[in-house]
Every structure is written in C-alpha cells, then in structure tokens.
C-alpha cells in the first residue's frame, strides 16, 4: 500500500469536501489589530478563538512521542477521533466495521450513531483474538477494523506480530486503540504510521497522563489521514483552556507515576491471588485488573457498601463473574484488600 492507496477508502463526499476556513487560517500572523473574527476586544484571557491547528500542543507532543506534527491529530478525547474515523471512511447504511468483543463500548456507539453496521468477533477464554475469525467477519464493505491493545475490559495486549499481520494484510483502515499502552511492556505501534498507510493509532491523555478531565485524545496516522480528520472536525475542537492546561501538564514527567501504578498492579494481583473468593486474575498490561469472583454481584455490592466503587462486568460477554478494578493509590488499594478480607471472613455488607 502506498500513502495515496487509502484514498478509495475515503467517503466520496469527504474526498471532495471543502473545509471551513477560519479567520486564523486566512491570516496567520500573531501581531496586529485583530478585527477579523468578530471577537470581543476586551481581554478575558479567552476572548480570542484558539488555534484550530493546536500548533504549540502538537509541537510538544511531537517531541514526547517522536513523530512529526503532521502525523498527529488532536481530538476532544479519543471519542472524537473514533467518531471521525466513521465519518471519514464509512458510508452510513452501506459500510461496516469489525470490532473485538468484549472491548471498549464507544466503537459500537459511534458506529450506531453513524448508522454503520458493527460485526463483533468474540475473543477466546483468555481474551486472545483469532486472526482467521477476524478476517472471516470482514467482507467487501468492511472499511475499518478496531483493535484495542491493551484491551479494555480484559487488560491484555495483543501480540505485536499479530497486529502487524492484520494491518499489513487488511485492505482497509485498522485502528489500534492504545489508551493503556503506557502501562504495557509491549509499547506502541505509532512509529509505524508512515510505513503502514492504513494504520491509525489512538492514544489519550486521560489515563497515564492523568488528564481525563481536560479531554485530549490523540490519533497518529500518515499525513493524508490526519488531513482528512482535521478537515472534518469542528474547527475549534480543542479549547484555549485545554490547550493551555495540556501544555503546562506535559512539562511534568509521568514515568514515576506509571512505574508506581505498575508496581501496585503486581502487588494487588498478588494479594488477590491468595483469596478464596477470587477465582481468576487475568494478566494485565493496563492500569486495571479484571478479576473473576465466585459471586461477583455480591462482592460488588459489598465493596460499594464499603464506599469502594469498581466496575461490574458480570453481564459483559466473556466476563461473567468479573469485576474490573482500577489500580488506585497504595492506600486506596490497601482499603480494597482490607474490605475483601472482611468479605472473606463472612462480614458481608449489602
Ligand atoms: C479510557 C479509554 C479511552 C479514552 O477515551 P478519552 O475519550 O480519550 O478519554 C479510549 N479507549 C479506551 C479503550 C479506553 O478504555
């Protein structure tokens, strides 16, 4: 595949789209008397429209992530990037997308709002993906495959060789959602986006960077794809407040926090392993553990009554009996273990 070879995958109306040109696109200088955008002249800190291309944030992310700004798209959370993939590549009522199950719920929701059929490929008991099953779910109208690695809610990363096989043999777009890659030893595929033109890698500042409240999602892809997504997004999708706060936050290193979370993940898993109410702890490359209990609903209720909120995944395909537990601060994790010990003693709260 050449860079331009993905052009036929793009919806015809998007290929011929003439994007909105902002006042800041038409005049790019930063000094002068600005009477072109109908802004208020009175300084509130936010009276000017933000940079629609987020140049400063992209320059900083480019340093951190080791890819040129041309390969970076910024969205209002990863959710915006997921929605844009459908809007750029998938014709409503015609095209379909293939996703793994169980996985992140937003792929299905964004597909449904765009009237795109979703085909689910069940993961096996260990949450591994069969490449054959994935490809047999695809047909000539399959425009996008969504992979999530490390996967939510199971926590495991897919083998890199398997993702490579899928990306290099599929004749459509492959999105690899790496929201949790910072917690995985396998690392990221983002450096491949200029080699594999159909690859889109999603990352986010919501997890390892601790900025879920700011809403900043990142897509890495070849320049042509980034230009398409930028053309379709709302011009001012990242507010000035977010751009300012992100730039400030990116100056603070996160390596120590990530290392601490990984260390705590191991410690919590070890404690859980010795408990009789725990049936299985799934291996995790993320900042959470999927844990199978003898009676998940009862454990969920007990923890809740104790003021500890986890995610009940008991009703999710392949996750029966499971709770998803985010790794918190050491003292929070300690409370969790203490509460479960009380449960084991028969002091069950309801
Ligand atoms: C949390 C999460 C995200 C992050 O979404 P944002 O909109 O960036 O907050 C993306 N993908 C998966 C699989 C997640 O679990």
């Amino acid at each position: 595949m050449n860079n331009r070879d993905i052009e036929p995958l793009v919806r015809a109306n998007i290929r011929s789209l003439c994007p909105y040109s902002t006042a800041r696109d038409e005049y790019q200088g930063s000094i002068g008397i600005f009477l072109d955008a109908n802004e208020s002249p009175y300084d509130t800190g936010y009276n000017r429209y933000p940079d629609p291309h987020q140049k400063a944030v992209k320059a900083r992310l480019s340093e951190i992530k080791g890819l040129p700004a041309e390969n970076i798209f910024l969205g209002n959370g990863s959710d915006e990037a997921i929605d844009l993939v459908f809007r750029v590549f998938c014709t409503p009522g015609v095209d379909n997308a293939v996703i793994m199950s169980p996985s992140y719920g937003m792929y299905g929701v964004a597909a449904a709002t765009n009237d795109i059929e979703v085909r689910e490929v069940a993961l096996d008991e260990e949450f591994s993906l069969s490449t054959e099953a994935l490809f047999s779910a695809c047909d000539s109208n399959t425009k996008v495959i969504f992979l999530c690695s490390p996967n939510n809610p199971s926590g495991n990363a897919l083998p890199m060789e398997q993702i490579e096989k899928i990306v290099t043999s599929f004749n459509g777009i492959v999105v690899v959602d790496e929201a949790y890659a910072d917690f995985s030893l396998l690392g990221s595929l983002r450096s491949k986006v200029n080699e594999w033109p159909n690859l889109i890698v999603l990352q986010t500042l919501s997890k390892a960077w601790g900025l879920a409240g700011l809403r900043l999602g990142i897509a890495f892809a070849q320049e042509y794809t980034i230009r398409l997504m930028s053309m379709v997004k709302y011009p001012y999708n990242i507010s000035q407040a977010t751009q300012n706060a992100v730039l400030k936050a990116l100056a603070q290193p996160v390596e120590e926090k990530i290392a601490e979370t990984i260390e705590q993940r191991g410690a919590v898993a070890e404690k859980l392993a010795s408990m009789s109410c725990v049936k299985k702890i799934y291996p995790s490359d993320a900042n959470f553990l999927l844990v199978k209990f003898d009676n998940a609903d009862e454990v969920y209720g007990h923890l809740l009554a104790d003021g500890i909120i986890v995610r009940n995944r008991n009703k999710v395909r392949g996750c029966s009996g499971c709770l998803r537990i985010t790794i918190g601060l050491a003292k929070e994790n300690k409370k969790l273990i203490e509460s479960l010990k009380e449960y084991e003693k028969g002091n069950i709260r309801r």
Side-chain angles (χ1 to χ4, degrees):
M1 262 194 176
N2 270 309
N3 279 13
R4 279 284 168 162
D5 286 353
I6 71 155
E7 197 174 311
L9 298 171
V10 179
R11 285 170 65 188
N13 61 311
I14 301 298
R15 251 180 275 155
S16 61
L17 187 75
C18 180
Y20 179 73
S21 176
T22 68
R24 285 290 73 73
D25 287 314
E26 283 163 27
Y27 178 80
Q28 306 213 346
S30 60
I31 297 162
I33 297 171
F34 287 94
L35 305 178
D36 59 349
N38 297 348
E39 296 154 338
S40 166
Y42 306 103
D43 187 2
T44 62
Y46 297 109
N47 55 313
R48 299 297 174 187
Y49 279 101
D51 175 6
H53 310 293
Q54 305 108 17
K55 287 198 197 72
V57 177
K58 284 185 182 176
R60 184 68 189 106
L61 278 172
S62 172
E63 287 172 7
I64 294 171
K65 301 290 184 177
L67 272 174
E70 290 71 29
N71 294 125
I72 301 176
F73 169 87
L74 301 182
N76 184 346
S78 312
D79 297 341
E80 183 182 7
I82 293 167
D83 182 57
L84 281 169
V85 169
F86 287 111
R87 290 165 65 199
V88 167
F89 294 104
C90 299
T91 302
V94 176
D95 291 331
N96 67 69
V98 172
I99 68 176
M100 14 190 263
S101 174
S103 193
Y104 188 45
M106 271 312 286
Y107 314 134
V109 173
T113 58
N114 286 290
D115 193 17
I116 303 303
E117 179 201 345
V118 160
R119 300 171 171 204
E120 295 189 351
V121 177
L123 301 176
D124 71 13
E125 322 74 68
E126 300 301 317
F127 299 111
S128 296
L129 173 68
S130 151
T131 307
E132 293 72 40
L134 182 79
F135 283 144
S136 49
C138 297
D139 67 10
S140 58
N141 287 325
T142 304
K143 284 289 187 65
V144 187
I145 292 174
F146 278 88
L147 303 177
C148 187
S149 180
N151 188 34
N152 177 8
S154 54
N156 59 313
L158 299 171
M160 284 292 183
E161 315 77 63
Q162 182 179 25
I163 302 179
E164 167 163 4
K165 170 103 201 301
I166 293 165
V167 177
T168 53
S169 37
F170 179 57
N171 220 341
I173 301 296
V174 179
V175 176
V176 182
D177 187 341
E178 293 185 348
Y180 300 99
D182 293 302
F183 304 103
S184 167
L185 292 174
L186 297 189
S188 170
L189 272 176
R190 67 177 181 273
S191 65
K192 298 287 191 184
V193 294
N194 288 311
E195 198 177 322
W196 300 335
N198 58 335
L199 172 66
I200 300 177
V201 173
L202 302 183
Q203 293 188 359
T204 178
L205 299 190
S206 295
K207 306 285 154 67
W209 284 91
L211 301 172
L214 283 180
R215 312 305 303 132
L216 200 93
I218 312 166
F220 301 98
Q222 62 148 318
E223 195 176 339
Y224 175 62
T225 305
I226 297 299
R227 272 195 272 117
L228 290 166
M229 292 174 74
S230 305
M231 213 164 74
V232 176
K233 76 175 178 74
Y234 294 147
Y236 303 111
N237 62 329
I238 310 294
S239 78
Q240 189 65 57
T242 296
Q243 295 191 41
N244 294 348
V246 163
L247 271 177
K248 208 168 140 202
L250 289 177
Q252 306 295 323
V254 284
E255 286 78 9
E256 266 181 42
K257 290 177 189 164
I258 293 170
E260 171 77 13
T261 298
I262 292 172
E263 200 262 324
Q264 282 291 309
R265 180 180 76 200
V268 171
E270 203 180 297
K271 295 249 166 55
L272 290 172
S274 68
M275 295 186 166
S276 57
C277 63
V278 172
K279 277 166 82 178
K280 186 170 172 113
I281 304 152
Y282 291 90
S284 173
D285 296 287
N287 66 338
F288 59 84
L289 290 167
L290 189 71
V291 184
K292 186 172 263 182
F293 291 90
D294 274 326
N295 188 339
D297 289 341
E298 190 177 70
V299 173
Y300 177 81
H302 167 83
L303 289 172
L304 193 63
D306 233 359
I308 299 169
I309 302 99
V310 299
R311 197 88 194 264
N312 191 347
R313 300 283 80 181
N314 187 25
K315 300 258 161 13
V316 171
R317 158 141 74 164
C319 301
S320 97
C322 290
L323 304 179
R324 192 193 70 190
I325 304 173
T326 306
I327 303 303
L329 297 171
K331 64 177 181 202
E332 296 173 324
N333 304 333
K334 199 162 152 251
K335 282 258 168 65
L336 168 85
I337 298 298
E338 281 165 8
S339 179
L340 287 172
K341 280 188 178 152
E342 285 304 307
Y343 174 88
E344 291 224 298
K345 281 191 211 150
N347 300 325
I348 303 174
R349 288 164 154 272
R350 289 173 211 274

